[in-house]
Structures are given as structure tokens and as C-alpha cells.
């Protein structure tokens, strides 16, 4: 999702990318698994959200700190899943 939908090169606005992400997550049939994976990754201190959001393959958001990157990931990846069934 980060590389294909949220990548700055995709040309989608953040709102458009979040809407595509929400529709994709909801229609995948794997919504609960996605939530669990995100919860696990967000609670694992060894996961670098800075590296996941900006690396040599794609760029979503170039955060200054790990906490800023994690907060951004929560806002674009986890919060949009609230209320979906």
C-alpha cells in the first residue's frame, strides 16, 4: 500500500490515497488481518517507520523523527480503518 497508493510518485493527494486505501482494505476480505498487522508493527519498537515511509524504493513522507513517522503512519494507515466492517 505504501509503495503503490501512498507513494508521492503516484500523484494522488493524501485524501485520495486514503480513500483508495480504505476501499481496498474493505473489499480485500482481510480487514481484520490488516488491523492486526498494523497494531503489531506499530507496537514493535524494532520497526522503523521512518524507513518504511521513505527509502530507496519509494517515498511517502520524509519524517524528521521516528515518532513523527509513526504518528503519520497511524493517521494514514490505522485511523482510516476505524469504522470499516
Amino acid at each position: 500500500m505504501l509503495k503503490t497508493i501512498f507513494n508521492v510518485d503516484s500523484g494522488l493527494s493524501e485524501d485520495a490515497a486514503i480513500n483508495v486505501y480504505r476501499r481496498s482494505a474493505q473489499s480485500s476480505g482481510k480487514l481484520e488481518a490488516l488491523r492486526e498487522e498494523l497494531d503489531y508493527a506499530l507496537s514493535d519498537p524494532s520497526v522503523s517507520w521512518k524507513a518504511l515511509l521513505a527509502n530507496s524504493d519509494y517515498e511517502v513522507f520524509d519524517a524528521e523523527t521516528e515518532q513523527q513517522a509513526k504518528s503519520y503512519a497511524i493517521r494514514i494507515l490505522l485511523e482510516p480503518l476505524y469504522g470499516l466492517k
Side-chain angles (χ1 to χ4, degrees):
M1 297 290 185
L2 291 174
K3 186 175 183 177
T4 58
I5 296 174
F6 290 101
N7 186 351
V8 294
D9 291 338
S10 73
L12 293 174
S13 70
E14 185 177 286
D15 288 339
I18 288 172
N19 286 333
V20 169
Y21 168 68
R22 283 174 54 95
R23 284 193 306 273
S24 176
Q26 194 166 27
S27 66
S28 72
K30 298 178 182 177
L31 184 58
E32 193 55 40
L34 179 57
R35 284 185 185 126
E36 289 174 8
E37 185 177 337
L38 283 168
D39 283 338
Y40 178 79
L42 288 162
S43 66
D44 185 345
S46 70
V47 173
S48 172
W49 285 97
K50 276 185 70 163
L52 286 173
L53 295 174
N55 55 64
S56 61
D57 291 331
Y58 59 88
E59 182 177 334
V60 175
F61 177 72
D62 191 13
E64 291 184 24
T65 66
E66 193 62 43
Q67 185 56 47
Q68 185 183 28
K70 186 175 179 180
S71 293
Y72 184 80
I74 290 168
R75 187 169 63 76
I76 68 163
L77 296 174
L78 188 60
E79 289 177 0
L81 301 181
Y82 294 162
L84 295 181
K85 297 177 183 180

